[in-house]
Structures are given as structure tokens and as C-alpha cells.
Amino acid sequence: MKNKAFGFYTAALTLILTVATLVAVLIYGSKGGMVNSLVPIALGAAAVCEVSLLFGEKVWTDFTGIIAATLLAYAMMTVLSDGIWNIAEAFNGIKMVGMPELSGMNITMAVLNLVAIVTAIITNFAQKSK
């Protein structure tokens, strides 16, 4: 652990946040929320990319870090666009086409995913090993 740099820890944090987002998406889908089938795949692939960053500075880790951040951004925008009616109906107090009772899950997924994106971007610019 002595040869680990800041980027290693941000990669580990991104991995934890990505897995937490994946769990939240699966729970959301099991409660009847609309989940695009590519979102869990994208989050799983982002987690695999983040795991590869934990092995230190390699030639391919620059690319896997960028791929992870891109997959996380895709997952966030898809989840937000699919759940926008839930959030809008919860704020307006009406029920039309969404499920306003799931708006808390939508916001939780968006916040987890946003923090994961930020830490993934920071990881891309940080050194992973000393």
C-alpha cells in the first residue's frame, strides 16, 4: 500500500460508487422503474474498467479510465431521461405517466452516478502508483 498514489484511491472510490449505482439501478428496476437494458451492462463494464485501474500504471489504463467515465455518463443520462417523469410528477404533486413514488430512487441514482463520474474524471488525471 506504500506505493499507491492518489489515483489508486479515487479509482477504488469510483469502483465502490459504480457498484452502489448498479445495485440502486437493479433495485429501482425491481420496483417497477423503467431501466434500459444497456444501463446495467454499462455500469458493469465501467466497474470492470475501474478494477483494471487498480493494477497501477499500464499502457491500457489510460483508455480504460476514459471508457469508464464515458460509460458512467451514458448510464446517468439514460437513467435521468427514463426517470424524468417520476421526478417531475413528484415535484408537481400529480400522477400521469410516471411513478412519483420512485423519484427518490431516481435522485439517489443520479447523485451516486454524478459523484462516480467526477471521481472517474479525477482518476484519469491522477497518478495511480508512486
Side-chain angles (χ1 to χ4, degrees):
M1 294 301 278
K2 290 183 180 181
N3 65 343
K4 303 299 179 197
F6 178 72
F8 174 83
Y9 297 108
T10 57
L13 178 61
T14 304
L15 176 61
I16 292 167
L17 290 168
T18 302
V19 171
T21 304
L22 177 60
V23 169
V25 165
L26 294 175
I27 291 171
Y28 173 75
S30 71
K31 291 186 176 195
M34 187 167 83
V35 177
N36 186 329
S37 61
L38 291 178
V39 171
I41 294 169
L43 289 171
V48 169
C49 289
E50 289 299 324
V51 166
S52 73
L53 293 173
L54 298 177
F55 294 117
E57 300 285 342
K58 307 282 188 227
V59 175
W60 39 271
T61 56
D62 291 336
F63 300 109
T64 58
I66 294 168
I67 292 168
T70 304
L71 290 170
L72 287 168
Y74 166 77
M76 180 174 171
M77 295 315 301
T78 304
V79 165
L80 278 177
S81 68
D82 288 347
I84 194 68
W85 286 109
N86 298 345
I87 297 169
E89 291 177 10
F91 283 131
N92 291 323
I94 59 173
K95 181 151 174 68
M96 290 174 49
V97 296
M99 299 173 72
E101 61 273 6
L102 292 179
S103 65
M105 287 289 298
N106 287 105
I107 294 169
T108 301
M109 289 184 299
V111 169
L112 279 172
N113 210 340
L114 180 63
V115 175
I117 291 169
V118 170
T119 58
I121 292 170
I122 291 170
T123 301
N124 285 326
F125 292 101
Q127 200 172 22
K128 279 80 169 172
S129 58
K130 292 182 181 178

